[in-house]
Short mmCIF file of all heavy atoms in Angstrom, two decimals:
data_model
loop_
_atom_site.label_atom_id
_atom_site.label_comp_id
_atom_site.label_asym_id
_atom_site.label_seq_id
_atom_site.Cartn_x
_atom_site.Cartn_y
_atom_site.Cartn_z
N MET E 1 39.28 106.12 158.36
CA MET E 1 40.56 105.38 158.45
C MET E 1 41.51 105.87 157.40
O MET E 1 41.19 106.11 156.26
CB MET E 1 40.24 103.89 158.14
CG MET E 1 41.44 103.03 158.22
SD MET E 1 41.35 101.27 157.77
CE MET E 1 40.22 100.68 159.09
N PRO E 2 42.76 106.11 157.82
CA PRO E 2 43.82 106.64 156.82
C PRO E 2 44.05 105.54 155.80
O PRO E 2 44.01 104.39 155.96
CB PRO E 2 44.95 106.99 157.74
CG PRO E 2 44.81 106.10 158.91
CD PRO E 2 43.31 105.98 159.04
N HIS E 3 44.54 106.10 154.62
CA HIS E 3 45.00 105.15 153.54
C HIS E 3 46.21 104.36 154.00
O HIS E 3 47.18 105.02 154.58
CB HIS E 3 45.30 105.90 152.23
CG HIS E 3 45.94 105.20 151.22
ND1 HIS E 3 45.14 104.22 150.43
CD2 HIS E 3 47.11 105.13 150.73
CE1 HIS E 3 45.99 103.68 149.61
NE2 HIS E 3 47.23 104.13 149.74
N ILE E 4 46.24 103.08 153.74
CA ILE E 4 47.38 102.30 154.12
C ILE E 4 48.12 101.90 152.88
O ILE E 4 47.60 101.33 151.98
CB ILE E 4 46.97 101.01 154.87
CG1 ILE E 4 46.18 101.37 156.17
CG2 ILE E 4 48.15 100.13 155.22
CD1 ILE E 4 46.85 102.26 157.18
N GLU E 5 49.45 102.29 152.85
CA GLU E 5 50.27 101.98 151.68
C GLU E 5 50.83 100.50 151.88
O GLU E 5 51.32 100.19 152.90
CB GLU E 5 51.45 102.92 151.65
CG GLU E 5 52.31 102.75 150.46
CD GLU E 5 51.65 102.94 149.08
OE1 GLU E 5 50.89 103.89 148.95
OE2 GLU E 5 51.87 102.12 148.23
N LEU E 6 50.65 99.72 150.87
CA LEU E 6 51.03 98.28 150.96
C LEU E 6 52.33 98.03 150.14
O LEU E 6 52.86 96.94 150.37
CB LEU E 6 49.89 97.36 150.44
CG LEU E 6 48.67 97.39 151.18
CD1 LEU E 6 47.61 96.50 150.63
CD2 LEU E 6 48.89 97.03 152.65
N GLU E 7 52.84 98.95 149.38
CA GLU E 7 54.01 98.77 148.58
C GLU E 7 55.17 99.57 149.28
O GLU E 7 55.00 100.68 149.70
CB GLU E 7 53.82 99.33 147.17
CG GLU E 7 52.81 98.56 146.32
CD GLU E 7 53.17 97.15 146.07
OE1 GLU E 7 54.30 96.89 145.74
OE2 GLU E 7 52.29 96.24 146.18
N SER E 8 56.30 98.92 149.39
CA SER E 8 57.43 99.46 150.04
C SER E 8 58.70 99.06 149.23
O SER E 8 58.72 97.99 148.72
CB SER E 8 57.55 98.99 151.46
OG SER E 8 58.65 99.66 152.16
N VAL E 9 59.60 99.94 149.06
CA VAL E 9 60.92 99.63 148.44
C VAL E 9 61.92 99.35 149.46
O VAL E 9 62.24 100.25 150.30
CB VAL E 9 61.33 100.81 147.52
CG1 VAL E 9 62.72 100.56 146.87
CG2 VAL E 9 60.26 101.10 146.44
N ILE E 10 62.45 98.16 149.50
CA ILE E 10 63.46 97.70 150.44
C ILE E 10 64.81 98.07 149.88
O ILE E 10 65.09 97.76 148.69
CB ILE E 10 63.34 96.17 150.76
CG1 ILE E 10 62.10 96.03 151.72
CG2 ILE E 10 64.49 95.71 151.41
CD1 ILE E 10 61.94 94.69 152.19
N THR E 11 65.67 98.69 150.62
CA THR E 11 67.13 98.94 150.22
C THR E 11 68.03 98.11 150.98
O THR E 11 68.02 98.19 152.28
CB THR E 11 67.35 100.47 150.35
OG1 THR E 11 66.40 101.22 149.56
CG2 THR E 11 68.75 100.72 149.91
N CYS E 12 68.79 97.26 150.39
CA CYS E 12 69.70 96.37 151.10
C CYS E 12 70.89 97.22 151.66
O CYS E 12 71.49 97.97 150.87
CB CYS E 12 70.31 95.37 150.14
SG CYS E 12 71.49 94.24 150.85
N PRO E 13 71.19 97.15 152.91
CA PRO E 13 72.32 97.92 153.46
C PRO E 13 73.72 97.43 153.07
O PRO E 13 74.72 98.10 153.22
CB PRO E 13 72.10 97.72 155.01
CG PRO E 13 71.41 96.46 155.14
CD PRO E 13 70.56 96.43 153.96
N GLU E 14 73.72 96.16 152.56
CA GLU E 14 74.98 95.60 152.18
C GLU E 14 75.40 96.04 150.79
O GLU E 14 76.61 96.41 150.51
CB GLU E 14 74.90 94.09 152.25
CG GLU E 14 74.75 93.52 153.60
CD GLU E 14 75.94 93.79 154.49
OE1 GLU E 14 77.14 93.71 154.08
OE2 GLU E 14 75.72 94.19 155.69
N CYS E 15 74.57 95.95 149.80
CA CYS E 15 74.90 96.20 148.43
C CYS E 15 74.19 97.38 147.83
O CYS E 15 74.49 97.89 146.77
CB CYS E 15 74.72 94.95 147.51
SG CYS E 15 73.00 94.62 147.21
N GLY E 16 73.16 97.90 148.48
CA GLY E 16 72.37 99.05 148.01
C GLY E 16 71.35 98.75 147.02
O GLY E 16 70.70 99.72 146.50
N ALA E 17 71.12 97.41 146.75
CA ALA E 17 70.08 97.14 145.77
C ALA E 17 68.72 97.43 146.35
O ALA E 17 68.55 97.37 147.56
CB ALA E 17 70.20 95.61 145.41
N THR E 18 67.79 97.79 145.42
CA THR E 18 66.42 98.06 145.85
C THR E 18 65.46 97.10 145.17
O THR E 18 65.73 96.59 144.08
CB THR E 18 65.96 99.57 145.50
OG1 THR E 18 66.13 99.67 144.13
CG2 THR E 18 66.87 100.56 146.26
N ALA E 19 64.30 96.80 145.85
CA ALA E 19 63.28 95.99 145.30
C ALA E 19 61.98 96.40 145.81
O ALA E 19 61.82 96.69 147.10
CB ALA E 19 63.50 94.57 145.62
N GLN E 20 60.96 96.62 145.04
CA GLN E 20 59.65 96.92 145.47
C GLN E 20 58.94 95.67 145.85
O GLN E 20 58.82 94.69 145.10
CB GLN E 20 58.84 97.66 144.35
CG GLN E 20 57.48 98.07 144.84
CD GLN E 20 56.81 99.10 143.97
OE1 GLN E 20 57.46 99.86 143.35
NE2 GLN E 20 55.44 99.09 144.01
N GLU E 21 58.32 95.66 147.06
CA GLU E 21 57.68 94.54 147.61
C GLU E 21 56.34 94.94 148.11
O GLU E 21 56.14 96.08 148.60
CB GLU E 21 58.55 93.88 148.76
CG GLU E 21 59.87 93.44 148.38
CD GLU E 21 59.87 92.21 147.40
OE1 GLU E 21 58.83 91.53 147.24
OE2 GLU E 21 61.01 91.95 146.90
N THR E 22 55.40 94.02 148.24
CA THR E 22 54.13 94.21 148.85
C THR E 22 54.17 93.72 150.25
O THR E 22 54.60 92.52 150.44
CB THR E 22 53.00 93.45 148.06
OG1 THR E 22 52.98 93.93 146.64
CG2 THR E 22 51.61 93.68 148.62
N MET E 23 53.74 94.52 151.15
CA MET E 23 53.85 94.19 152.57
C MET E 23 52.65 93.25 153.00
O MET E 23 51.54 93.57 152.57
CB MET E 23 53.92 95.49 153.49
CG MET E 23 55.14 96.26 153.21
SD MET E 23 55.21 97.72 154.32
CE MET E 23 54.10 98.79 153.44
N PRO E 24 52.82 92.29 153.80
CA PRO E 24 51.65 91.52 154.32
C PRO E 24 50.95 92.44 155.32
O PRO E 24 51.48 93.18 155.96
CB PRO E 24 52.37 90.40 155.01
CG PRO E 24 53.67 90.84 155.41
CD PRO E 24 54.14 91.79 154.36
N THR E 25 49.57 92.27 155.30
CA THR E 25 48.80 93.00 156.20
C THR E 25 48.38 92.30 157.46
O THR E 25 47.92 92.85 158.41
CB THR E 25 47.45 93.41 155.48
OG1 THR E 25 46.75 92.31 155.04
CG2 THR E 25 47.74 94.39 154.32
N ASN E 26 48.66 90.89 157.42
CA ASN E 26 48.27 90.13 158.58
C ASN E 26 49.43 89.52 159.32
O ASN E 26 49.18 88.59 160.21
CB ASN E 26 47.31 89.05 158.12
CG ASN E 26 48.01 88.09 157.09
OD1 ASN E 26 49.08 88.31 156.60
ND2 ASN E 26 47.32 87.01 156.76
N ALA E 27 50.60 89.89 159.01
CA ALA E 27 51.80 89.26 159.67
C ALA E 27 53.01 90.22 159.52
O ALA E 27 53.00 91.03 158.63
CB ALA E 27 52.16 87.97 159.13
N CYS E 28 53.95 90.14 160.47
CA CYS E 28 55.19 90.89 160.26
C CYS E 28 56.18 90.07 159.48
O CYS E 28 56.11 88.83 159.47
CB CYS E 28 55.83 91.16 161.64
SG CYS E 28 54.88 92.39 162.66
N GLN E 29 57.03 90.75 158.71
CA GLN E 29 58.06 89.98 158.03
C GLN E 29 59.37 90.29 158.68
O GLN E 29 59.89 91.38 158.65
CB GLN E 29 58.08 90.48 156.50
CG GLN E 29 58.98 89.68 155.69
CD GLN E 29 58.83 89.83 154.20
OE1 GLN E 29 57.76 90.25 153.82
NE2 GLN E 29 59.81 89.54 153.51
N TRP E 30 59.92 89.26 159.39
CA TRP E 30 61.17 89.37 160.20
C TRP E 30 62.39 89.19 159.29
O TRP E 30 63.44 89.61 159.72
CB TRP E 30 61.14 88.45 161.34
CG TRP E 30 60.20 88.79 162.40
CD1 TRP E 30 60.34 89.95 163.25
CD2 TRP E 30 58.99 88.20 162.81
NE1 TRP E 30 59.23 90.00 164.07
CE2 TRP E 30 58.47 88.89 163.87
CE3 TRP E 30 58.34 87.04 162.42
CZ2 TRP E 30 57.32 88.55 164.47
CZ3 TRP E 30 57.21 86.58 163.07
CH2 TRP E 30 56.73 87.38 164.07
N PHE E 31 62.29 88.56 158.17
CA PHE E 31 63.41 88.20 157.37
C PHE E 31 63.10 88.65 155.94
O PHE E 31 62.03 88.46 155.47
CB PHE E 31 63.80 86.77 157.45
CG PHE E 31 64.04 86.35 158.86
CD1 PHE E 31 63.15 85.50 159.59
CD2 PHE E 31 65.22 86.61 159.47
CE1 PHE E 31 63.35 85.10 160.84
CE2 PHE E 31 65.56 86.19 160.75
CZ PHE E 31 64.57 85.46 161.49
N TYR E 32 64.20 89.07 155.28
CA TYR E 32 64.04 89.31 153.78
C TYR E 32 65.45 89.05 153.18
O TYR E 32 66.52 89.52 153.65
CB TYR E 32 63.66 90.70 153.62
CG TYR E 32 63.68 91.14 152.13
CD1 TYR E 32 62.45 90.89 151.41
CD2 TYR E 32 64.72 91.77 151.56
CE1 TYR E 32 62.45 91.20 150.06
CE2 TYR E 32 64.65 92.06 150.13
CZ TYR E 32 63.50 91.79 149.41
OH TYR E 32 63.43 92.13 148.08
N GLU E 33 65.45 88.25 152.11
CA GLU E 33 66.76 87.98 151.41
C GLU E 33 66.82 88.84 150.27
O GLU E 33 65.98 89.04 149.38
CB GLU E 33 66.70 86.50 150.91
CG GLU E 33 67.98 86.18 150.22
CD GLU E 33 68.14 84.69 149.80
OE1 GLU E 33 67.34 83.91 150.23
OE2 GLU E 33 69.00 84.45 148.94
N CYS E 34 67.91 89.69 150.21
CA CYS E 34 68.23 90.58 149.13
C CYS E 34 68.33 89.77 147.79
O CYS E 34 68.98 88.77 147.74
CB CYS E 34 69.59 91.29 149.36
SG CYS E 34 70.03 92.27 148.02
N LYS E 35 67.63 90.25 146.80
CA LYS E 35 67.62 89.59 145.53
C LYS E 35 68.92 89.75 144.75
O LYS E 35 69.17 88.98 143.82
CB LYS E 35 66.38 90.06 144.72
CG LYS E 35 65.02 89.64 145.34
CD LYS E 35 63.90 90.16 144.58
CE LYS E 35 62.64 89.64 145.24
NZ LYS E 35 61.48 90.32 144.72
N SER E 36 69.73 90.63 145.14
CA SER E 36 70.93 90.95 144.43
C SER E 36 72.16 90.18 145.15
O SER E 36 72.77 89.31 144.51
CB SER E 36 71.24 92.39 144.41
OG SER E 36 72.49 92.59 143.80
N CYS E 37 72.40 90.41 146.43
CA CYS E 37 73.50 89.85 147.09
C CYS E 37 73.18 88.57 148.01
O CYS E 37 74.07 87.98 148.59
CB CYS E 37 74.39 90.87 147.84
SG CYS E 37 73.57 91.50 149.32
N HIS E 38 71.94 88.40 148.16
CA HIS E 38 71.41 87.33 149.01
C HIS E 38 71.72 87.36 150.45
O HIS E 38 71.67 86.46 151.19
CB HIS E 38 71.79 85.91 148.42
CG HIS E 38 71.44 85.75 147.01
ND1 HIS E 38 70.23 85.46 146.61
CD2 HIS E 38 72.26 85.82 145.88
CE1 HIS E 38 70.14 85.41 145.32
NE2 HIS E 38 71.37 85.66 144.78
N THR E 39 72.03 88.60 150.90
CA THR E 39 72.13 88.85 152.37
C THR E 39 70.76 88.76 153.07
O THR E 39 69.80 89.23 152.48
CB THR E 39 72.69 90.26 152.61
OG1 THR E 39 74.00 90.40 152.16
CG2 THR E 39 72.61 90.64 154.11
N LEU E 40 70.69 88.07 154.15
CA LEU E 40 69.45 87.91 154.88
C LEU E 40 69.25 89.09 155.75
O LEU E 40 70.11 89.25 156.70
CB LEU E 40 69.47 86.56 155.76
CG LEU E 40 68.14 86.17 156.43
CD1 LEU E 40 67.04 86.17 155.32
CD2 LEU E 40 68.28 84.99 157.28
N LEU E 41 68.30 89.92 155.52
CA LEU E 41 68.08 91.15 156.34
C LEU E 41 67.21 90.73 157.50
O LEU E 41 66.24 90.00 157.41
CB LEU E 41 67.38 92.23 155.55
CG LEU E 41 68.21 92.60 154.32
CD1 LEU E 41 67.45 93.78 153.65
CD2 LEU E 41 69.65 93.05 154.59
N LYS E 42 67.47 91.34 158.68
CA LYS E 42 66.61 91.21 159.83
C LYS E 42 66.28 92.57 160.40
O LYS E 42 67.07 93.57 160.16
CB LYS E 42 67.33 90.41 160.91
CG LYS E 42 67.75 89.06 160.52
CD LYS E 42 68.62 88.34 161.55
CE LYS E 42 69.16 87.10 160.99
NZ LYS E 42 70.21 86.49 161.89
N PRO E 43 65.27 92.76 161.14
CA PRO E 43 64.95 94.10 161.60
C PRO E 43 65.99 94.63 162.50
O PRO E 43 66.73 93.90 163.24
CB PRO E 43 63.63 93.94 162.49
CG PRO E 43 63.09 92.69 161.95
CD PRO E 43 64.22 91.76 161.50
N LEU E 44 66.23 95.99 162.47
CA LEU E 44 67.17 96.66 163.45
C LEU E 44 66.56 96.71 164.77
O LEU E 44 65.43 96.67 164.97
CB LEU E 44 67.41 98.02 162.88
CG LEU E 44 68.18 98.11 161.47
CD1 LEU E 44 68.11 99.58 161.02
CD2 LEU E 44 69.53 97.63 161.59
N PRO E 45 67.43 96.79 165.82
CA PRO E 45 66.99 96.83 167.19
C PRO E 45 65.88 98.07 167.27
O PRO E 45 66.17 99.10 166.84
CB PRO E 45 68.17 97.16 168.04
CG PRO E 45 69.29 96.64 167.17
CD PRO E 45 68.89 96.79 165.77
N GLY E 46 64.72 97.71 167.85
CA GLY E 46 63.73 98.69 168.09
C GLY E 46 62.67 98.70 166.92
O GLY E 46 61.68 99.27 167.12
N ASP E 47 62.91 98.05 165.86
CA ASP E 47 62.01 97.93 164.77
C ASP E 47 61.32 96.62 164.79
O ASP E 47 61.84 95.59 165.27
CB ASP E 47 62.69 98.08 163.31
CG ASP E 47 63.01 99.47 163.13
OD1 ASP E 47 62.57 100.48 163.71
OD2 ASP E 47 63.95 99.74 162.17
N CYS E 48 60.10 96.47 164.35
CA CYS E 48 59.32 95.31 164.30
C CYS E 48 59.48 94.43 163.16
O CYS E 48 59.19 93.25 163.22
CB CYS E 48 57.84 95.68 164.55
SG CYS E 48 57.15 96.63 163.20
N CYS E 49 59.92 94.92 161.97
CA CYS E 49 60.02 94.10 160.80
C CYS E 49 61.03 94.73 159.85
O CYS E 49 61.46 95.83 160.09
CB CYS E 49 58.67 93.92 160.16
SG CYS E 49 57.98 95.47 159.54
N VAL E 50 61.32 94.03 158.79
CA VAL E 50 62.32 94.41 157.80
C VAL E 50 61.80 95.83 157.01
O VAL E 50 62.59 96.52 156.62
CB VAL E 50 62.65 93.37 156.82
CG1 VAL E 50 63.41 92.24 157.56
CG2 VAL E 50 61.59 92.77 156.03
N PHE E 51 60.46 95.88 156.89
CA PHE E 51 60.00 97.04 156.20
C PHE E 51 60.19 98.26 157.02
O PHE E 51 60.50 99.36 156.57
CB PHE E 51 58.48 96.84 155.91
CG PHE E 51 58.27 95.84 154.80
CD1 PHE E 51 57.73 94.58 155.12
CD2 PHE E 51 58.58 96.04 153.46
CE1 PHE E 51 57.48 93.64 154.16
CE2 PHE E 51 58.48 95.12 152.53
CZ PHE E 51 57.86 93.91 152.81
N CYS E 52 60.09 98.22 158.39
CA CYS E 52 60.42 99.35 159.17
C CYS E 52 61.83 99.76 159.24
O CYS E 52 62.16 100.92 159.41
CB CYS E 52 59.82 99.13 160.63
SG CYS E 52 57.99 99.12 160.68
N SER E 53 62.72 98.71 159.06
CA SER E 53 64.11 98.97 159.13
C SER E 53 64.72 99.40 157.73
O SER E 53 65.55 100.27 157.64
CB SER E 53 64.88 97.74 159.53
OG SER E 53 64.62 97.46 160.87
N TYR E 54 64.29 98.78 156.69
CA TYR E 54 64.88 98.99 155.37
C TYR E 54 63.96 99.46 154.25
O TYR E 54 64.37 99.68 153.16
CB TYR E 54 65.55 97.69 154.90
CG TYR E 54 66.46 97.09 155.94
CD1 TYR E 54 66.10 95.99 156.67
CD2 TYR E 54 67.75 97.72 156.18
CE1 TYR E 54 66.99 95.50 157.61
CE2 TYR E 54 68.56 97.22 157.16
CZ TYR E 54 68.22 96.12 157.90
OH TYR E 54 69.03 95.60 158.87
N GLY E 55 62.72 99.55 154.55
CA GLY E 55 61.65 99.95 153.58
C GLY E 55 61.46 101.47 153.40
O GLY E 55 61.76 102.19 154.39
N SER E 56 60.93 101.81 152.25
CA SER E 56 60.55 103.27 152.01
C SER E 56 59.24 103.66 152.77
O SER E 56 59.03 104.77 153.02
CB SER E 56 60.45 103.58 150.60
OG SER E 56 59.42 102.78 150.02
N VAL E 57 58.51 102.58 153.18
CA VAL E 57 57.21 102.87 153.87
C VAL E 57 57.19 101.82 155.09
O VAL E 57 57.56 100.63 154.88
CB VAL E 57 56.01 102.46 152.92
CG1 VAL E 57 54.76 102.63 153.67
CG2 VAL E 57 56.02 103.44 151.70
N LYS E 58 56.73 102.35 156.17
CA LYS E 58 56.63 101.43 157.39
C LYS E 58 55.52 100.42 157.20
O LYS E 58 54.64 100.64 156.37
CB LYS E 58 56.31 102.38 158.67
CG LYS E 58 57.32 103.35 158.91
CD LYS E 58 58.70 102.73 159.45
CE LYS E 58 59.59 103.92 159.85
NZ LYS E 58 60.94 103.40 160.17
N CYS E 59 55.57 99.42 157.99
CA CYS E 59 54.57 98.34 157.79
C CYS E 59 53.11 98.83 158.19
O CYS E 59 52.94 99.81 158.79
CB CYS E 59 54.83 97.11 158.66
SG CYS E 59 54.76 97.38 160.42
N PRO E 60 52.08 98.18 157.55
CA PRO E 60 50.63 98.56 157.81
C PRO E 60 50.27 98.85 159.26
O PRO E 60 49.69 99.82 159.57
CB PRO E 60 49.83 97.43 157.20
CG PRO E 60 50.73 97.07 155.99
CD PRO E 60 52.11 97.06 156.63
N PRO E 61 50.57 97.95 160.21
CA PRO E 61 50.19 98.24 161.61
C PRO E 61 50.83 99.54 162.13
O PRO E 61 50.09 100.35 162.86
CB PRO E 61 50.65 97.10 162.41
CG PRO E 61 50.72 95.94 161.48
CD PRO E 61 51.10 96.58 160.15
N ILE E 62 52.05 99.83 161.78
CA ILE E 62 52.65 100.99 162.23
C ILE E 62 52.03 102.29 161.51
O ILE E 62 51.78 103.32 162.11
CB ILE E 62 54.19 101.00 162.03
CG1 ILE E 62 54.85 99.86 162.79
CG2 ILE E 62 54.86 102.39 162.27
CD1 ILE E 62 54.82 100.05 164.31
N GLN E 63 51.71 102.15 160.29
CA GLN E 63 50.96 103.16 159.61
C GLN E 63 49.70 103.54 160.22
O GLN E 63 49.23 104.66 160.26
CB GLN E 63 50.72 102.81 158.09
CG GLN E 63 51.90 102.67 157.21
CD GLN E 63 51.58 102.38 155.87
OE1 GLN E 63 50.82 103.01 155.22
NE2 GLN E 63 52.18 101.34 155.33
N GLN E 64 49.05 102.50 160.84
CA GLN E 64 47.80 102.72 161.53
C GLN E 64 47.96 103.25 162.93
O GLN E 64 46.88 103.43 163.67
CB GLN E 64 46.91 101.40 161.58
CG GLN E 64 46.44 100.93 160.18
CD GLN E 64 45.85 99.67 160.21
OE1 GLN E 64 46.29 98.70 160.88
NE2 GLN E 64 44.80 99.44 159.42
N GLY E 65 49.08 103.31 163.39
CA GLY E 65 49.38 103.82 164.77
C GLY E 65 49.38 102.79 165.77
O GLY E 65 49.29 102.99 167.02
N ASN E 66 49.45 101.49 165.46
CA ASN E 66 49.41 100.37 166.24
C ASN E 66 50.81 99.87 166.49
O ASN E 66 51.71 100.10 165.69
CB ASN E 66 48.54 99.28 165.80
CG ASN E 66 47.15 99.72 165.62
OD1 ASN E 66 46.54 100.45 166.39
ND2 ASN E 66 46.52 99.17 164.49
N SER E 67 51.05 99.00 167.48
CA SER E 67 52.26 98.28 167.59
C SER E 67 52.23 97.12 166.68
O SER E 67 51.17 96.70 166.31
CB SER E 67 52.52 97.79 169.03
OG SER E 67 51.55 96.91 169.42
N CYS E 68 53.34 96.64 166.23
CA CYS E 68 53.39 95.60 165.22
C CYS E 68 54.03 94.40 165.84
O CYS E 68 55.34 94.32 165.90
CB CYS E 68 54.22 96.18 163.94
SG CYS E 68 54.39 94.82 162.74
N CYS E 69 53.27 93.41 166.27
CA CYS E 69 53.75 92.10 166.57
C CYS E 69 54.75 92.10 167.76
O CYS E 69 55.60 91.18 167.95
CB CYS E 69 54.48 91.40 165.43
SG CYS E 69 53.46 91.27 164.01
N ASN E 70 54.78 93.09 168.69
CA ASN E 70 55.72 93.20 169.78
C ASN E 70 55.27 92.15 170.82
O ASN E 70 54.18 91.92 171.11
CB ASN E 70 55.57 94.55 170.42
CG ASN E 70 56.27 95.66 169.61
OD1 ASN E 70 57.06 95.37 168.74
ND2 ASN E 70 55.85 96.91 169.91
N GLY E 71 56.47 91.44 171.22
CA GLY E 71 56.17 90.41 172.19
C GLY E 71 55.52 89.16 171.78
O GLY E 71 55.17 88.32 172.58
N SER E 72 55.40 88.99 170.52
CA SER E 72 54.71 87.75 170.00
C SER E 72 55.60 86.53 169.86
O SER E 72 55.19 85.50 169.64
CB SER E 72 54.04 88.00 168.66
OG SER E 72 55.06 88.30 167.72
N GLY E 73 56.94 86.89 170.05
CA GLY E 73 57.98 85.75 169.84
C GLY E 73 58.08 85.53 168.30
O GLY E 73 57.30 85.98 167.56
N ALA E 74 59.28 84.97 167.97
CA ALA E 74 59.38 84.75 166.50
C ALA E 74 59.28 83.32 166.32
O ALA E 74 59.34 82.73 165.34
CB ALA E 74 60.82 85.25 166.27
#
């Protein structure tokens, strides 16, 4: 099994602030509030979570080659 990276640096598209966060391994994170400007980030179309859209590392299920929470509803 490949090594799964759990730390990702999220970059806010509004203000450019960055924050290192630990990704959940058992759930997708659909929302993230920027700690600097308080913009509520949501996944971009085609992405499963905020880490896939704005993070330096994709979420653990994507790293493993799996789909991430597709069709599960929010």
Side-chain angles (χ1 to χ4, degrees):
M1 181 186 294
H3 172 73
I4 302 301
E5 182 64 45
L6 297 178
E7 296 294 317
S8 184
V9 176
I10 288 186
T11 301
C12 177
E14 293 296 317
C15 72
T18 60
Q20 183 166 332
E21 301 290 346
T22 300
M23 295 182 281
T25 58
N26 61 348
C28 289
Q29 187 165 336
W30 286 294
F31 302 104
Y32 178 82
E33 183 178 343
C34 175
K35 292 177 177 169
S36 180
C37 71
H38 303 288
T39 295
L40 185 63
L41 305 183
K42 299 174 190 170
L44 296 171
D47 285 341
C48 61
C49 66
V50 293
F51 291 106
C52 287
S53 293
Y54 307 106
S56 60
V57 177
K58 303 288 186 191
C59 68
I62 297 297
Q63 291 181 52
Q64 292 174 316
N66 300 321
S67 63
C68 179
C69 305
N70 287 340
S72 66

